[in-house]
Each structure stands twice: as C-alpha cells, then as structure tokens.
C-alpha cells in the first residue's frame, strides 16, 4: 500500500492524472509527443481528429495509472467484487466524460486553446461507443459510472462488437440502416489486452470418465470448435475519486490451432476461412430492443461472453483463494442484466462440478448465492426461449446440466405443492411445445434475488409472468431497484450551464452535489426568487437554441426556439406509442386548417386555440420491425406537409432527427420544454429518458407507467401531466376490444380519414398502422387513450402560455418555470448512485472500498 501511495503521488516516472490537472505544460508536452511519435504526424498538419486522438491518449495514459493502482489496491484489500454482466453497454463518448470525472476540463480546454484547438470541436470528433440498443444498454453504462464514482470494486463484462447499433439515415422519408464501424480510426480509450486470452468451446460431445482422485465417474465435455476470447479494457473513471474500475469487453479471435486435416487435404483456403469465422461472433450487435429473434449466432455470442467472463472471474478468485470454493459468495457477486447472461449460472455450475470437482449440492448453493437477475420487461416477445435442439447441439454438457437443475427444482416444487400437478408444467424450465429452454425461469431458479426496475414493474412481475415463482420461493426473493441515471453525464456534461447555475446556488464550486444528488432539494429555497427563475429560464432558452441548431443541421428545418419544444425520442416501438403522438399532431394540424377555412386568422388561433410548438421526434426502428418503420415514415411525411405549409406561420413544425444516439441525447434532453413518455400502462418497465428530461428542467407528459409513477411522487403530481388508462384496466379493455370491436373516437376518426385520403402520401403505406388499431384489436389502446392525451396537451398549453422566449413574462415564470425548478429540486432520487447503493445493500452485500 505504501508503494501505491507513492505511485499515486507521482513519484514514479510516468505522469499521473494529478500532474496533468495541475500542470498545463505537462499536458501540452505529452500531447505533442502523442502527435509526433504516437500518430507520426507533425503539429503543422494536426487536424481536429488527430488532436482528439492525441488529447485522449494523453488523458488516458494518466488514467491508466489510476486504474492500475485501483486494481492493485482492490487485490490487496481483497474485498467482495461485483461483476455486472451486460450484453450491451451504450457508453457514448468517453473523452468529455473523462475530463469531467477527472476534473481536468478547464486545463484541457486552455491547453488545447494554446495549441490552436477548440475543445468542443475536438470532442466532436469522437464517434459514440454505441454498443447497445436503448434503455437496457444505457443503464449498464450509467451503472459502471456509479460503481466507480461511489468507490465500489465493480467491473462490467460485455462484448466488443466491431459494429455497434446501425446508423440511421432518412432517405425519402424512410429509415435506411448503414453499418456503424466505430473502430475505423482505432479507439484511444481501449487498452487491448492481447495477453488475456481465454479459449471458449462450442459443439462437440459429452463423455464419462473415472475421476482418478475420487474413483467416481464424472462427465466431461469435448468441444468441437474453439474460439479465443481476447480482452479489450475500458478504464472507467469515477467522479472526484481515483477509484477507476474496468469495463472488460471480449473480442472473438481464431485460435492458432490450424485445421491440419483440411490443410493436408489441400484445402488451405477453407481452413483459413473457418478460422476467420471465429471473428464473426463479436462482429455485430443485434439491433433489436425488447424483442428476441432467436438466432444461433446470438446464442453463440451469449455463451462466448459468459464463458470468458466466468473463467476470468474464477481465475482472479483462485489467485488469492485457491480452491476455497465456500468463500466464493463472500468474494463475488454477479449481476445478470436481463436473461442474456443466464448461461453464466450453468457455466459456473459446470466449472465447479466438472472442472473443480465440487459436489452438485455444494456447487449449486454457491451459484445461487453468487448470482442475481434483473428483469427489464413483462412483454412476452422480449422473453428469451431457446430451442432445446439448438442448445443441445451448441452446448451439449450445458443442456444436461439445465435438465438436472430443472429436475431438482421440480422435485422441490412437487414436495411443496403435491396436489398441484399443473404447477410443474407451468414452472418447468423446459417448455414442451415447442421444446425450448425458458431463460427467465432458469435465471430465477439460479439466483438469490430477482429485481424489477421500477416499483410498478416489480409489482407486475410478481402478479403476472413470475406469479408461480412467488408461490414457490416466497415474495422476499423478488425485489425492486428503481432505475436511475448518472448526473455526471446527464446533468454536468449534457447541461454545463444548468449544472453551473445549480452549483452556484448550492455554493458548491466543486460540484460535489453530483455525487450527492439529494442536495438538489435545497433549490426549493429559491422557488420565489424571480431573478433566479429568470436565470433558470434563460439557461433553458440557450439550450433550446443549441437544439434548434442541431435540428437545422440534421434536417434543414428551421424551428423557432421561442415555441414550445415537445419531444419524443426513444426507440420506436408500438408500445411506446409514437403513433399516438403523431396522430395528435395530425389532429392539431387538421383543426388549424379547419379554423382557417372558417376564416379564423392565425393570430386568433394563437389567441384562442393553440400555442406555437415544434413536435420533435427521434429514434431507431429495429430493421425487421415493419410497424415501427411505418411510424417513422408517417412522422416524416407529416413533417413534409406541415413544414411546407407557409400559411400557418410558426404554429406548428414537425421534425424527425435522424440517428438518435447518446451524444445527440446530450443536446436534446436539455432542450425540451415537454417530453412524452406515453407507453400503454404496464408495458414500459421503467424508462430512463423520462429522468434525463426531468433532471434537465423539462416537464413530462406521460402515462401512469414505469418510473413515471415515482417521478410524479417525488416531484409532486401537480408538476407532471399524467393521463390515460391504468395498468390494472388494460386486460379488461383488450377483452372489450375483442368482444365489442374497437371504438375509435371522433377525433381519431378524422385523423384516419385524412391519412386514408392521401393527405400524407400514399395511404397504402399506412394501412397496417391504421387497420391495426381500427380492425385488429388495438392492442396498445391508442383509441382508449387518444382523447385523454389531447386533453392533457390542452393543460400543457394553458400552463406554458404564450411565452415567446420572453423571460420577463411573469405568468410563464410562475406557472411553468416554477414547476421546472421544483421538479429538478426533487429529482435526486433518480441518480444511478442511489441504485448502486441499493443493489449493494439488498442484493450484493458489498460496501464501497476504502480509498
Ligand atoms: O430497459 C430499460 C427500461 C425500459 C425497458 C428497457 C429494455 C431494453 O432496452 C431492452 C430489452 C428489455 O427487455 C428492456 O424497456 O423500460 O427503462 C432499463 O431497465
């Protein structure tokens, strides 16, 4: 420890982060060295991209020392470690975040200026690390930030996809997907660990042999195809601490074990080709959100990642604890982010019984104590089920173990409920027709805790999809950890002006409130301070201008920053109901046109009916999801018509921002007046963009769903526009649709009529969308919630008033800005730091390490 102490104070030769923070010359010197020797360029032809790479390398080199020290300290302290297994980490950009967490933004800005660069332009060169689809992947990214910032010893394990989530282009109002080769210029934030190579086997067969030590027969697996997992590490800096954890992503590489049979048969090309196939395992992220496609390569990805991670975790444990397996649950917690890593349960059991010779019962006891599972959805199409045949072919030994786990589990169930024969069928890991492995059930059985991600959701899983398991295990196994977001990225980084204003009011020049977000509550003191409300509103206005500039550059549409910005950005999904939003926009437009026809002037319309607004959309549709793509097409076509109607002044604009991603979200979230979180009640497990918008002072229009419920509780129901049918009524309404047919309200009928008349292009393009509601049961209850949605919007407009960007408007300040301040003051609960503390206490049983 003394040695570490010395090193972290910079007595070794390498510069550490503190040198760079305190000494701009040092930064400049290192920067130039990276340009000249690392990149092989001269300072005379160093462009922004090269500057980004050199600056990143400079910061990273320093960070790597904190990181190495952290790892050594954690090894010496030998406390319990947390491993967060997630198939997705939607990290976004790293450099800006590192500057903020390491508190060297100002120095870097100044140094870069001295060298002739502008920090923002340099930051803009970085491609997003977009190794995730949406909420689930971004949550994992927020969690690793919090693990570091709160001084936990916690690593992330994932896959290093060559291609992240596709890039979305809008061509002729349609979504087009293009590949995201994000590693084009190599990534300065990745530390390739070529020495960490773990062989992972697939296929093959199982055989029995006599264990020479015990004389008993034991099972063994001989794999038929071997791939190497090679580590690529991302250091994860904490805010205001030198605790720097690791995010380890695996790359698939061919082994050097050349296929000599093929080679000797003269088929050199083939033998090389089959080697190359190895790399395909980590080549691409599956682009579905809340939907499982069931492709063999996906299962291969899952096992590859899980096997490498378990092996790495066990190797680290054995270094200190040898074969003291009973200590494993005191040393290691593994969190399964959704069912994607469920095979970790099976792999850990296999390692213990087949490779380490632990008895089944002892091993299983350890596995269950180590693992915990987070569920993120109740939607059936998102729950993973793998065909038994496929699992048996790819992982023959694992299938046997799954059957054994199931056998012992069903025995237990039978003892508990001998008279309920059907229960066995219902809770079996194996579904009979078609024969498949229910991964969620396996995850529950192999974990000591199962959590949902918002209160409502955690209650729902206990009464619907996992009801029988509550009966078997008791309700204490099921718990809730409401999601959160990291305030470092989603306040400080996304909204420098607002975070500075807050720091000023809290008299916290070092921004310590960012790791103690409850302090926001102190803003309530200023709620009657008119000058403060004006300052607050002025920040929002600047952020809206920044967003308007993004919209201009992305869509070439001019939006007036003084109008209400009404935003819905998230993955496109029927359950999230972007279709309901665009239908409401159409209704508004038709009504405006109707009023115009009656001779009402634009001024009068503004006076009596509608305030001016811009409806802003963004989000990707899964490439194979026809309905979602249709919704995008409709939004774009409606935008085309409305934005080109020069008779309506600035009353209404509709834009679709292409390629919504983390770095765009950082501009979009601070720029909202209002954002939409309008999923059918009971379908959105939590939602996290609701939190991002609210933390940035935007108000919310939303259904009584997911975390909206808790946001309303925290900030006060009078500060959120809630509407719509409740989760408890959804089943009944669906049944009613089925029995009586769907009742489409007059308002929505008008919208459908306009679409079918061809006002927004070829009506055939939208047939499935309209028919799905009117004639095919309206599964997502758009018809039931539509008028309630319109009413809620009326309330929004009354509250917002005719603001016109004029900060002196007392009515606007009193009605709207006050709500904005009050909301932010009460958003402290939604920090992902709070989530991590809850996981640590209730599920992992770990404490922050001593720094
Ligand atoms: O996970 C988020 C939730 C959100 C939920 C989302 C999610 C995915 O992004 C992908 C698959 C899945 O099953 C769930 O839809 O409500 O906020 C993080 O928990």
């Amino acid at each position: 420890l003394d040695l570490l102490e010395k090193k972290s104070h910079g007595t070794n030769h390498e510069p550490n982060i503190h040198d760079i923070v305190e000494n701009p010359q040092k930064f400049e010197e290192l920067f130039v060295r990276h340009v000249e020797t690392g990149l092989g360029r001269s300072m005379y032809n160093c462009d922004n991209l090269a500057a980004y790479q050199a600056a990143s390398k400079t910061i990273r080199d320093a960070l790597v020392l904190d990181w190495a020290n952290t790892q050594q300290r954690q090894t010496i302290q030998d406390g319990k470690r947390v491993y967060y297994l997630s198939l997705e980490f939607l990290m976004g950009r790293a450099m800006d975040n590192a500057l903020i967490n390491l508190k060297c933004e100002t120095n870097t800005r100044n140094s870069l200026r001295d060298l002739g660069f502008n920090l923002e332009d340099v930051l803009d060169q970085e491609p997003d690390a977009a190794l995730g689809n949406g909420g689930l992947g971004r949550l994992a990214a927020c969690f690793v930030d919090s693990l570091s910032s709160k001084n936990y010893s916690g690593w992330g394990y994932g896959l290093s996809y060559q291609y992240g989530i596709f890039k979305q282009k809008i061509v002729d109002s349609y979504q087009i997907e293009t590949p995201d080769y994000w590693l084009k210029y190599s990534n300065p934030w990745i530390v390739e660990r070529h020495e960490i190579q773990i062989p992972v086997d697939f296929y093959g067969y199982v055989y029995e042999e006599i264990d020479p030590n015990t004389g008993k027969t034991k099972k063994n697996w001989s794999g038929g195809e071997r791939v190497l997992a090679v580590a690529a590490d991302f250091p994860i800096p904490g805010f205001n601490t030198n605790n720097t954890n690791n995010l380890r992503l695996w790359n698939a590489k061919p082994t050097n074990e050349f296929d000599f049979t093929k080679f000797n048969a003269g088929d050199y090309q083939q033998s090389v080709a089959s080697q190359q196939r190895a790399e395909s395992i980590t080549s691409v992220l599956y682009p579905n959100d809340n939907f499982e496609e069931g492709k063999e390569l996906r299962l291969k990805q899952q096992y590859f990642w899980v096997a490498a991670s378990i092996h790495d975790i066990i190797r680290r444990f054995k270094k200190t604890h040898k074969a003291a397996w009973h200590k494993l649950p005191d040393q290691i917690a593994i969190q399964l982010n959704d069912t994607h890593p469920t095979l970790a349960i099976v792999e850990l059991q296999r390692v213990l019984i087949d490779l380490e010779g632990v008895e089944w019962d002892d091993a299983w006891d350890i596995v269950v104590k180590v693992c915990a599972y987070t569920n993120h959805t109740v939607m059936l199409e998102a729950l993973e089920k793998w065909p038994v045949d496929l699992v048996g072919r790819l992982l023959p030994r694992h299938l046997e173990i799954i059957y054994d786990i199931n056998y012992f589990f069903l025995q237990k169930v039978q003892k508990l409920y001998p008279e309920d024969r059907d229960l066995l069928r219902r809770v079996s890991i194996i579904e009979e027709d078609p024969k498949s492995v229910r991964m969620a059930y396996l995850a529950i059985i192999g974990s000591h805790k199962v959590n949902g991600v918002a209160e409502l959701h955690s209650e729902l899983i206990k009464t619907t999809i996992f009801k029988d398991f509550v009966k078997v295990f008791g309700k204490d196994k099921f718990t809730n950890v409401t999601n959160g977001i990291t305030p470092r990225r989603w306040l400080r980084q996304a909204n420098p002006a607002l975070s500075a204003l807050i720091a000023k009011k809290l008299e916290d020049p070092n921004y310590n409130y960012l790791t103690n977000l409850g302090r926001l509550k102190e803003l309530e003191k200023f709620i009657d301070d008119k000058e403060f409300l004006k300052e607050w509103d002025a920040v929002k206005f600047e952020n809206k201008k920044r967003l308007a500039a993004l919209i201009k550059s992305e869509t070439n549409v001019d939006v007036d920053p003084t109008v209400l910005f009404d935003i819905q950005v998230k993955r496109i999904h029927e359950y999230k109901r972007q279709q309901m939003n665009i239908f409401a926009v159409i209704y508004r437009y038709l009504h405006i046109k109707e009023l115009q026809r009656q001779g009402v002037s634009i001024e009068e319309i503004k006076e009596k009916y509608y305030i001016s607004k811009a409806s802003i959309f963004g989000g990707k549709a899964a490439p194979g999801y026809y309905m979602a793509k249709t919704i995008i097409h409709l939004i774009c076509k409606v935008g085309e018509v409305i934005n080109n109607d020069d008779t309506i002044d600035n009353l209404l604009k509709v834009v679709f921002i292409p390629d919504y991603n983390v770095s765009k979200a950082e501009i979009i979230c601070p720029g909202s007046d209002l954002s939409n979180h309008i999923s059918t009640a009971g379908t959105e497990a939590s939602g996290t963009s609701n939190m991002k918008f609210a933390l940035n002072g935007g108000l919310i229009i939303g259904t009584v769903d997911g975390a909206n419920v808790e946001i309303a509780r925290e900030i006060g129901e009078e500060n959120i526009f809630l509407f719509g049918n409740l989760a408890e009524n959804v089943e009944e309404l669906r049944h009613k649709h089925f029995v009586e047919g769907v009742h489409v309200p007059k308002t929505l009928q008008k919208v459908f009529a306009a679409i079918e008349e061809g006002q927004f292009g070829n009506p055939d393009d939208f047939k499935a969308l309209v028919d799905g509601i009117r004639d095919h049961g309206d599964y997502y209850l758009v018809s039931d919630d539509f008028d309630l949605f319109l009413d809620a919007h009326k309330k929004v407009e009354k509250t917002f008033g005719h603001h016109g960007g004029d900060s002196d408007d007392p009515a606007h300040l009193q009605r709207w800005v006050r709500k904005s301040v009050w909301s932010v003051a009460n958003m402290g609960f939604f920090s992902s730091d709070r989530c991590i503390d809850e996981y640590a206490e209730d599920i992992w049983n770990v404490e922050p390490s001593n720094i």
Side-chain angles (χ1 to χ4, degrees), residues 529-551:
D529 176 345
K530 221 180 123 201
E531 282 312 304
F532 172 61
L533 294 183
K534 273 161 73 176
E535 254 184 289
W536 188 272
D537 198 35
V539 168
K540 178 60 78 180
F541 189 54
E542 287 306 309
N543 286 329
K544 286 171 72 179
K545 286 202 246 173
R546 185 169 64 145
L547 173 53
L550 174 76
I551 292 171

Short mmCIF file of all heavy atoms in Angstrom, two decimals, residues 529-551:
data_model
loop_
_atom_site.label_atom_id
_atom_site.label_comp_id
_atom_site.label_asym_id
_atom_site.label_seq_id
_atom_site.Cartn_x
_atom_site.Cartn_y
_atom_site.Cartn_z
N ASP A 529 -37.81 33.27 -5.84
CA ASP A 529 -36.82 34.27 -6.25
C ASP A 529 -36.95 34.51 -7.76
O ASP A 529 -36.51 33.70 -8.58
CB ASP A 529 -35.42 33.73 -5.88
CG ASP A 529 -34.30 34.63 -6.33
OD1 ASP A 529 -34.56 35.53 -7.17
OD2 ASP A 529 -33.18 34.43 -5.86
N LYS A 530 -37.57 35.64 -8.10
CA LYS A 530 -37.89 35.89 -9.51
C LYS A 530 -36.64 35.97 -10.39
O LYS A 530 -36.63 35.48 -11.52
CB LYS A 530 -38.69 37.19 -9.63
CG LYS A 530 -39.80 37.04 -10.63
CD LYS A 530 -40.62 38.27 -10.80
CE LYS A 530 -40.58 38.64 -12.27
NZ LYS A 530 -40.91 40.02 -12.54
N GLU A 531 -35.60 36.57 -9.83
CA GLU A 531 -34.36 36.69 -10.61
C GLU A 531 -33.80 35.29 -10.94
O GLU A 531 -33.33 35.04 -12.04
CB GLU A 531 -33.30 37.49 -9.83
CG GLU A 531 -33.53 38.98 -9.86
CD GLU A 531 -33.79 39.49 -11.28
OE1 GLU A 531 -32.94 39.24 -12.16
OE2 GLU A 531 -34.85 40.12 -11.51
N PHE A 532 -33.89 34.44 -9.96
CA PHE A 532 -33.40 33.07 -10.17
C PHE A 532 -34.24 32.36 -11.23
O PHE A 532 -33.70 31.71 -12.13
CB PHE A 532 -33.43 32.31 -8.84
CG PHE A 532 -33.13 30.83 -8.98
CD1 PHE A 532 -31.91 30.40 -9.48
CD2 PHE A 532 -34.07 29.88 -8.61
CE1 PHE A 532 -31.63 29.05 -9.60
CE2 PHE A 532 -33.80 28.51 -8.75
CZ PHE A 532 -32.57 28.11 -9.24
N LEU A 533 -35.56 32.51 -11.15
CA LEU A 533 -36.42 31.87 -12.16
C LEU A 533 -36.05 32.38 -13.56
O LEU A 533 -36.03 31.61 -14.53
CB LEU A 533 -37.90 32.15 -11.88
CG LEU A 533 -38.50 31.54 -10.60
CD1 LEU A 533 -39.99 31.85 -10.49
CD2 LEU A 533 -38.28 30.04 -10.53
N LYS A 534 -35.73 33.65 -13.64
CA LYS A 534 -35.36 34.21 -14.94
C LYS A 534 -34.06 33.62 -15.45
O LYS A 534 -33.92 33.28 -16.63
CB LYS A 534 -35.23 35.74 -14.83
CG LYS A 534 -36.58 36.41 -15.06
CD LYS A 534 -36.66 37.82 -14.54
CE LYS A 534 -35.93 38.88 -15.28
NZ LYS A 534 -36.22 40.21 -14.67
N GLU A 535 -33.12 33.49 -14.52
CA GLU A 535 -31.82 32.90 -14.90
C GLU A 535 -32.02 31.47 -15.39
O GLU A 535 -31.42 31.02 -16.37
CB GLU A 535 -30.91 32.85 -13.66
CG GLU A 535 -29.81 33.87 -13.63
CD GLU A 535 -28.91 33.64 -12.41
OE1 GLU A 535 -29.38 33.92 -11.27
OE2 GLU A 535 -27.79 33.18 -12.58
N TRP A 536 -32.86 30.76 -14.65
CA TRP A 536 -33.17 29.36 -14.98
C TRP A 536 -33.76 29.26 -16.38
O TRP A 536 -33.36 28.44 -17.21
CB TRP A 536 -34.16 28.85 -13.93
CG TRP A 536 -34.48 27.39 -13.94
CD1 TRP A 536 -35.46 26.78 -14.68
CD2 TRP A 536 -33.85 26.36 -13.18
NE1 TRP A 536 -35.49 25.44 -14.42
CE2 TRP A 536 -34.51 25.15 -13.50
CE3 TRP A 536 -32.79 26.33 -12.26
CZ2 TRP A 536 -34.15 23.92 -12.92
CZ3 TRP A 536 -32.44 25.11 -11.69
CH2 TRP A 536 -33.10 23.93 -12.03
N ASP A 537 -34.72 30.15 -16.65
CA ASP A 537 -35.40 30.15 -17.94
C ASP A 537 -34.44 30.53 -19.06
O ASP A 537 -34.52 30.01 -20.18
CB ASP A 537 -36.58 31.13 -17.87
CG ASP A 537 -37.58 30.88 -18.99
OD1 ASP A 537 -37.76 29.70 -19.36
OD2 ASP A 537 -38.16 31.85 -19.50
N ALA A 538 -33.51 31.42 -18.76
CA ALA A 538 -32.55 31.84 -19.78
C ALA A 538 -31.63 30.67 -20.16
O ALA A 538 -31.27 30.50 -21.34
CB ALA A 538 -31.71 33.01 -19.26
N VAL A 539 -31.29 29.83 -19.18
CA VAL A 539 -30.48 28.65 -19.49
C VAL A 539 -31.25 27.74 -20.43
O VAL A 539 -30.72 27.24 -21.43
CB VAL A 539 -30.11 27.90 -18.19
CG1 VAL A 539 -29.53 26.53 -18.50
CG2 VAL A 539 -29.13 28.72 -17.35
N LYS A 540 -32.52 27.53 -20.12
CA LYS A 540 -33.36 26.67 -20.99
C LYS A 540 -33.39 27.23 -22.41
O LYS A 540 -33.26 26.50 -23.39
CB LYS A 540 -34.77 26.57 -20.39
CG LYS A 540 -35.76 25.77 -21.20
CD LYS A 540 -35.36 24.31 -21.41
CE LYS A 540 -35.60 23.42 -20.21
NZ LYS A 540 -35.19 22.02 -20.44
N PHE A 541 -33.54 28.54 -22.49
CA PHE A 541 -33.63 29.15 -23.82
C PHE A 541 -32.35 28.92 -24.63
O PHE A 541 -32.39 28.58 -25.82
CB PHE A 541 -33.94 30.65 -23.68
CG PHE A 541 -34.27 31.30 -24.98
CD1 PHE A 541 -35.28 30.80 -25.79
CD2 PHE A 541 -33.58 32.43 -25.40
CE1 PHE A 541 -35.59 31.41 -27.01
CE2 PHE A 541 -33.87 33.04 -26.61
CZ PHE A 541 -34.88 32.53 -27.42
N GLU A 542 -31.22 29.06 -23.97
CA GLU A 542 -29.95 28.81 -24.67
C GLU A 542 -29.86 27.35 -25.12
O GLU A 542 -29.40 27.05 -26.22
CB GLU A 542 -28.75 29.15 -23.76
CG GLU A 542 -28.52 30.63 -23.54
CD GLU A 542 -28.40 31.42 -24.85
OE1 GLU A 542 -27.61 31.01 -25.73
OE2 GLU A 542 -29.13 32.44 -25.00
N ASN A 543 -30.32 26.46 -24.27
CA ASN A 543 -30.28 25.04 -24.63
C ASN A 543 -31.23 24.73 -25.78
O ASN A 543 -30.96 23.85 -26.61
CB ASN A 543 -30.61 24.17 -23.42
CG ASN A 543 -29.45 24.13 -22.43
OD1 ASN A 543 -28.28 24.23 -22.84
ND2 ASN A 543 -29.75 24.03 -21.15
N LYS A 544 -32.35 25.45 -25.84
CA LYS A 544 -33.26 25.27 -26.97
C LYS A 544 -32.62 25.78 -28.26
O LYS A 544 -32.80 25.19 -29.33
CB LYS A 544 -34.59 25.97 -26.69
CG LYS A 544 -35.45 25.22 -25.67
CD LYS A 544 -36.67 26.01 -25.22
CE LYS A 544 -37.74 26.10 -26.30
NZ LYS A 544 -38.93 26.85 -25.81
N LYS A 545 -31.86 26.85 -28.15
CA LYS A 545 -31.17 27.35 -29.35
C LYS A 545 -30.15 26.33 -29.85
O LYS A 545 -30.00 26.11 -31.05
CB LYS A 545 -30.48 28.69 -29.05
CG LYS A 545 -31.46 29.85 -28.93
CD LYS A 545 -30.75 31.16 -29.19
CE LYS A 545 -30.73 31.99 -27.93
NZ LYS A 545 -29.98 33.19 -27.91
N ARG A 546 -29.47 25.73 -28.89
CA ARG A 546 -28.47 24.70 -29.25
C ARG A 546 -29.17 23.55 -29.96
O ARG A 546 -28.70 23.02 -30.97
CB ARG A 546 -27.78 24.23 -27.97
CG ARG A 546 -26.64 23.27 -28.17
CD ARG A 546 -25.84 23.06 -26.88
NE ARG A 546 -26.62 22.42 -25.83
CZ ARG A 546 -26.14 21.56 -24.94
NH1 ARG A 546 -24.86 21.22 -24.97
NH2 ARG A 546 -26.91 21.04 -24.00
N LEU A 547 -30.35 23.16 -29.45
CA LEU A 547 -31.10 22.08 -30.09
C LEU A 547 -31.63 22.51 -31.46
O LEU A 547 -31.58 21.73 -32.43
CB LEU A 547 -32.26 21.64 -29.17
CG LEU A 547 -33.25 20.62 -29.73
CD1 LEU A 547 -32.54 19.39 -30.28
CD2 LEU A 547 -34.25 20.20 -28.65
N ALA A 548 -32.09 23.75 -31.56
CA ALA A 548 -32.59 24.24 -32.85
C ALA A 548 -31.48 24.18 -33.90
O ALA A 548 -31.72 23.83 -35.07
CB ALA A 548 -33.13 25.66 -32.71
N ALA A 549 -30.25 24.48 -33.48
CA ALA A 549 -29.12 24.42 -34.41
C ALA A 549 -28.86 22.98 -34.86
O ALA A 549 -28.58 22.71 -36.03
CB ALA A 549 -27.87 25.01 -33.77
N LEU A 550 -28.99 22.04 -33.92
CA LEU A 550 -28.83 20.63 -34.29
C LEU A 550 -29.90 20.22 -35.31
O LEU A 550 -29.61 19.55 -36.30
CB LEU A 550 -28.93 19.74 -33.04
CG LEU A 550 -28.92 18.24 -33.30
CD1 LEU A 550 -27.50 17.75 -33.62
CD2 LEU A 550 -29.47 17.43 -32.12
N ILE A 551 -31.13 20.66 -35.03
CA ILE A 551 -32.24 20.31 -35.94
C ILE A 551 -32.00 20.89 -37.33
O ILE A 551 -32.19 20.23 -38.34
CB ILE A 551 -33.58 20.81 -35.35
CG1 ILE A 551 -33.92 20.01 -34.09
CG2 ILE A 551 -34.71 20.71 -36.38
CD1 ILE A 551 -35.11 20.53 -33.29
#
